[in-house]
Amino acid sequence: MFLTISTTGTPGRPATDLGFLLHKHPEKAQAFSTSYGTAHVLYPEADEQRCTAALLLEVDAVALVRRGKGKGRGGAPDAALAQYVNDRPYAASSLLAVAIGAVFSSAMRGVCRARPELPEQVRPLRVEVPALPARGGPDLVRRLFEPLDWTVTAEPVALDTEFPEWGDSRYVRLVLESRSRTVAEALRHLYVLLPVLDDAKHYWVAADEVDKLLRAGEGWLPEHPEQKLITSRYLSRRWSLTREAMARLELVRLAETDDNEVEAIDNAVAAEAEAEEKPTPLAVRRRDAIVAALTEAGAARVLDLGCGEGHLVQALLKDPRFTEIVGVDVSMRALTIASRRLKLDRMGERQAARVKLFQGSLAYTDSRLKGYDAAVLSEVVEHLDLPRLPALEYAVFGAARPRTVLVTTPNVEYNVRWESLPAGHVRHRDHRFEWTREEFRAWAGAVAGRHGYGVEFVPVGPDDPEVGPPTQMAVFTVNGNAHEKSHEKSHEKTHEKTHEKEAKAA
Ligand code: SAH
């Protein structure tokens, strides 16, 4: 695997500055060991006029198989021999991107201590990759690099030069040229787009790939016309990660764009999701299930407790059945984003009268939460430490006491079905716990018993015969009104004790 980066010099800016920019001295050939083999950096030419750095990766096929456990995209085991005998050592691919990340990490970040002014400099650059696997062919190569201001030459490589009638291979010889890019930008483009073109990552796509993608994509990915394809291919089409990345890219744009554009982006993403007929995202199914349960309960005045960035509030606002919607969250940041999403500051008076957002913690009773028809806790309880749950329980079921309470939470049994989730991991970094169906039922049943509610359980998402649905929802309904008054009194007395006992048990 092989890649070269060249630059030319101008008076006062010798081409050999490339050595400083890459943090690799032009007069030395250097070798670095990476997880997949040895990366060599050498300079075939280095003078004031022209300087070329070559990155050459010698892949260790055995290490590759051991690390990747022989999994191709989609998890299908490769044929035993294909694990060892394949095109990996010869083609530039995702592994070359890994090597770029490992060998040129400071250069990618645009750091150069010795010559701090250098990384900012735009200079003539030429990148050549003699054999680049490109699913989508020269056409896609151009769609990816041209919007980034590269002049692209992408020539298909014949399958066999002696037998041209066999046609082209899936490789192209790629040459990129630009006079408007810095070395750091060039490296970041390659780091993301080489694996996108290869479209077959040979290592496990872990959740931190989203962070890597967004870091390397800073300054160009949020505006790229092929952003969706880039994101989904980079993350090996793992939808949950792709959605996370798209949502975070949207946030970057939110910060920089005005509200009309935000709406346009929302619509475009929604339209594209439909057009692709990919499975309905779980978050959407969850909102649909919540809206259906609220409708069935006849709720008009609704609390969204732990409303986050306001997706559910937004969905409820679209339905005139819901006359008052209150979003509460402990995070000011989440509320700020929610308020932008809803365009609270520009809403007509009648709409504005229907919605309120305020900051509050569910770990404390709050008189503002009293008197509503329903409260939703969507994917919230698992964000609290277990010992805090009795406090939340009292604040919601003891003090606020809406007629209906909906609680959704992940079903941990389903985690084995998420391809991208390593065994034993929770779905989100901030989840303090995830429950089995039985654990959730036990908790919800006890809560219902203590506070005079009945409870039913509804699966959300595909209900797997073995492990159940990805999300579980409990629908609590307060028992008859007569019971209500006496319950409230007796509850007031016992709650302190229950609270203490539970905190100890947890
Ligand atoms: N309900 C949203 C967001 C779930 S994320 C959805 O379904 O998509 C969990 C949210 O709970 C976060 O926004 C977090 O800030 C909020 N949260 C966590 N602990 C909280 C607490 N003690 N009080 C109020 N909100 C809390």
Side-chain angles (χ1 to χ4, degrees), residues 286 304 306-308 328-331 334 360-363 378-380 383-384:
R286 204 153 41 219
D304 183 7
C307 64
V328 181
D329 205 287
V330 78
S331 154
S361 170
L362 301 169
S378 164
E379 307 297 284
V380 172
H383 289 265
L384 274 84

Side-chain angles (χ1 to χ4, degrees), residues 365 390 394 490-503:
T365 59
Y394 182 68
S490 70
H491 188 89
E492 220 94 286
K493 274 182 251 144
T494 51
H495 125 260
E496 286 302 339
K497 265 195 201 140
T498 330
H499 186 140
E500 247 169 50
K501 251 193 278 164
E502 268 183 17

Side-chain angles (χ1 to χ4, degrees), residues 325-458:
I325 305 142
V326 177
V328 181
D329 205 287
V330 78
S331 154
M332 234 9 247
R333 190 174 160 274
L335 289 172
T336 308
I337 293 167
S339 134
R340 285 204 69 177
R341 176 183 306 288
L342 301 169
K343 303 195 197 98
L344 274 192
D345 53 339
R346 298 209 237 134
M347 218 173 235
E349 238 170 77
R350 278 183 54 195
Q351 281 292 79
R354 288 173 65 208
V355 60
K356 223 181 323 175
L357 296 178
F358 64 76
Q359 191 184 21
S361 170
L362 301 169
Y364 300 94
T365 59
D366 187 333
S367 58
R368 294 174 296 180
L369 306 183
K370 284 197 181 184
Y372 286 85
D373 298 333
V376 179
L377 290 133
S378 164
E379 307 297 284
V380 172
V381 293
E382 65 276 9
H383 289 265
L384 274 84
D385 289 322
L386 274 172
R388 304 296 290 160
L389 273 193
L392 172 137
E393 172 188 336
Y394 182 68
V396 176
F397 295 87
R401 281 194 83 64
R403 210 172 57 230
T404 304
V405 181
L406 307 180
V407 177
T408 78
T409 194
N411 163 23
V412 70
E413 296 165 80
Y414 192 88
N415 288 2
V416 295
R417 296 282 185 268
W418 296 118
E419 278 183 63
S420 58
L421 206 62
H425 279 58
V426 295
R427 295 181 203 174
H428 188 281
R429 244 178 281 129
D430 193 45
H431 286 182
R432 306 303 159 89
F433 60 86
E434 283 175 356
W435 276 329
T436 61
R437 283 167 292 174
E438 202 182 314
E439 286 167 329
F440 183 48
R441 276 161 195 266
W443 174 80
V447 169
R450 280 192 289 269
H451 299 278
Y453 282 75
V455 61
E456 282 172 33
F457 299 90
V458 180

